[in-house]
Amino acid sequence: MWSFETEPEFQKELDWIGDFVQHEIEPLDYVLGSQWNIHDEGFEKLVRPLQAKVRERGLWACHLGPHLGGKGYGQLKLALMNEKLGRSRFGPITFGTQAPDTGNSEILAHYGTPEQKERYLKPLLENEIVSCFAMTEPQGGADPLQIQSTAKLEGDEWVINGEKWFSSNARFAAFHIVMVVTEPDASDPYRRQSMIIVPAETPGIEIVRDYGYFGEAEPEHAHVRWNNVRVPKANMLGDRGDGFVVAQVRLGGGRLHHAMRAIAEATRCLDYTCERVVSRHTKGAPLWKQQMVQDRIADAWIQLRQFRLLVLETAWLADQGADWKAIRQNVSAVKVVMPKVLHDVASMALHLHGSLGLTTDVPFASHIMNSFMIGLADGPTEVHKGVVARELLKKVGPVDEMFPDYVRFKAEPRARAHFGLT
């Protein structure tokens, strides 16, 4: 059965989440710094009580299975939740679903030893700590095949050397999960990398500089230098050369959740703009009466609804048991459309707010900047367009004839013969 209806019981939860985010969480954006700075006095005072209310409601870390203390919600329900949570920087962390900790917790749940789960996974799920995922490098950007950082086994220790770039939350993290080359001579380039857990206090980890971009509360993306960093052999996640396999555990669902949070951002921009255009007057009439304003408002709403359906379809496919590889075309399509929708809707909002839209007192410029960020994170748009095209074209075989069967002078005789016409 095909349905677009949300089950009534879960709709009640979504309604509660929407109201809670709007009235309790969104105000945090104006008074606190980085949402990952969990030991900040303001975080302890303002966010912890809200997290307690989420726990009481039974909505904490819903991406986790019941054996880990979560609801075990599928991707569709998680997508609908993130559509609400994404309206605020503090939405995800208040509900225990913040990146990169969600992805790192999935890796630890799949590959961690009992000792690693006790030391890292348990406090991460409780948000007693936050973590960092270190993959990209200054010279290689988003291409993991360009990774040059190495881990060499010396006795019972891995010795890590290299540099990592845009390691988000490194300054706040209690531990890093780092992707490094451990099998440089492997014939398959996708079997050369491995994942290793590194406690943040390990000697040799040097934060060269923290970078931020417009709209962030404070710089939180680090250039990190790894200087003979030593960790136990047992800190590897998965087997040697499993880096790409481990990485896929965290990427698919994360991209969907990013997408729904982008929808939340864009919806917020549209909501503010609708209020603006019915409130302001120009040329002797409300702003919304201008046909060009109606055109832009309509385009924004249509874009949002189209994109939302693509995301929800992809989430639904994941819930039907399809693995991420099987639906990679859908996931990549989501990744391609996501930055464009947010950019277009936020730009429309900025423009229709006039000079106010340019200022830092409204969020539109920061949403525009974020659209560029999500167009680069987890693989740039161009890479994902290539995936969509390749997945589509690999199902199509070539024809040997000069003219295809669908040209009229070939198709018409077949049609006539089919219907018995002379």
Side-chain angles (χ1 to χ4, degrees), residues 340-413:
K340 177 171 173 51
V341 171
L342 179 55
H343 178 273
D344 289 353
V345 177
S347 297
M348 175 275 301
L350 186 153
H351 185 75
L352 293 184
H353 275 75
S355 55
L356 177 63
L358 296 169
T359 70
T360 54
D361 274 15
V362 289
F364 311 124
S366 59
H367 288 313
I368 291 172
M369 182 57 69
N370 194 43
S371 76
F372 286 99
M373 191 280 288
I374 60 178
L376 293 169
D378 294 336
T381 298
E382 294 84 352
V383 170
H384 289 280
K385 280 190 175 182
V387 172
V388 173
R390 288 194 302 272
E391 289 294 308
L392 180 63
L393 296 174
K394 75 180 185 182
K395 304 168 187 175
V396 182
V399 294
D400 297 328
E401 298 182 30
M402 176 66 71
F403 297 101
D405 285 345
Y406 50 81
V407 298
R408 187 177 184 89
F409 68 77
K410 296 175 73 172
E412 184 177 339

Side-chain angles (χ1 to χ4, degrees), residues 136-386:
T136 56
E137 297 186 358
Q139 81 291 336
D143 183 1
L145 293 179
Q146 301 300 315
I147 288 176
Q148 295 178 5
S149 297
T150 62
K152 296 180 180 179
L153 197 57
E154 293 184 5
D156 289 331
E157 290 184 322
W158 290 107
V159 182
I160 304 171
N161 284 281
E163 300 196 11
K164 291 294 179 181
W165 172 251
F166 240 62
S167 296
S168 301
N169 316 322
R171 60 188 286 208
F172 307 122
F175 69 91
H176 306 249
I177 294 179
V178 58
M179 190 168 178
V180 288
V181 174
T182 59
E183 322 301 312
D185 299 324
S187 57
D188 183 351
Y190 292 94
R191 299 293 305 172
R192 294 173 184 165
Q193 297 84 3
S194 302
M195 295 280 192
I196 299 176
I197 305 171
V198 184
E201 68 272 14
T202 308
I205 300 176
E206 174 193 357
I207 296 181
V208 179
R209 179 178 295 169
D210 278 304
Y211 290 83
Y213 57 84
F214 183 84
E216 285 193 309
E218 52 188 299
E220 55 195 31
H221 307 283
H223 176 188
V224 183
R225 187 169 292 137
W226 299 70
N227 305 297
N228 292 316
V229 178
R230 292 178 173 269
V231 295
K233 179 181 178 181
N235 280 31
M236 179 171 287
L237 290 166
D239 294 327
R240 294 180 64 153
D242 274 355
F244 276 88
V245 176
V246 175
Q248 289 308 311
V249 170
R250 74 188 309 283
L251 288 176
R255 285 167 177 155
L256 285 185
H257 304 162
H258 278 311
M260 290 308 286
R261 289 195 284 269
I263 290 173
E265 288 185 58
T267 300
R268 188 184 186 197
C269 290
L270 181 58
D271 289 346
Y272 290 169
T273 306
C274 288
E275 179 183 306
R276 183 72 172 176
V277 299
V278 300
S279 304
R280 300 283 287 184
H281 287 69
T282 185
K283 306 290 185 181
L287 188 57
W288 75 267
K289 291 280 190 179
Q290 305 298 320
Q291 283 189 326
M292 293 189 71
V293 172
Q294 294 173 14
D295 178 80
R296 299 195 71 172
I297 292 284
D299 281 347
W301 186 86
I302 292 167
Q303 260 191 303
L304 269 168
R305 302 309 290 182
Q306 289 174 327
F307 178 48
R308 186 175 186 271
L309 285 175
L310 174 62
V311 175
L312 293 179
E313 180 199 28
T314 305
W316 179 83
L317 287 170
D319 285 348
Q320 303 315 300
D323 61 32
W324 294 115
K325 187 176 180 180
I327 60 172
R328 63 185 304 198
Q329 184 176 18
N330 278 67
V331 174
S332 284
V334 165
K335 183 66 173 61
V336 168
V337 180
M338 171 171 56
K340 177 171 173 51
V341 171
L342 179 55
H343 178 273
D344 289 353
V345 177
S347 297
M348 175 275 301
L350 186 153
H351 185 75
L352 293 184
H353 275 75
S355 55
L356 177 63
L358 296 169
T359 70
T360 54
D361 274 15
V362 289
F364 311 124
S366 59
H367 288 313
I368 291 172
M369 182 57 69
N370 194 43
S371 76
F372 286 99
M373 191 280 288
I374 60 178
L376 293 169
D378 294 336
T381 298
E382 294 84 352
V383 170
H384 289 280
K385 280 190 175 182

Side-chain angles (χ1 to χ4, degrees), residues 7 10 14 61-66 70-82 97 106 253-254 256-257 260 311-322 324:
E7 59 189 69
F10 186 62
L14 290 177
C62 288
H63 62 293
L64 300 170
K71 290 281 192 179
Y73 282 165
Q75 294 300 324
L76 185 58
K77 285 185 175 180
L78 290 173
L80 293 170
M81 284 184 64
N82 275 282
T97 61
E106 289 185 62
L256 285 185
H257 304 162
M260 290 308 286
V311 175
L312 293 179
E313 180 199 28
T314 305
W316 179 83
L317 287 170
D319 285 348
Q320 303 315 300
W324 294 115

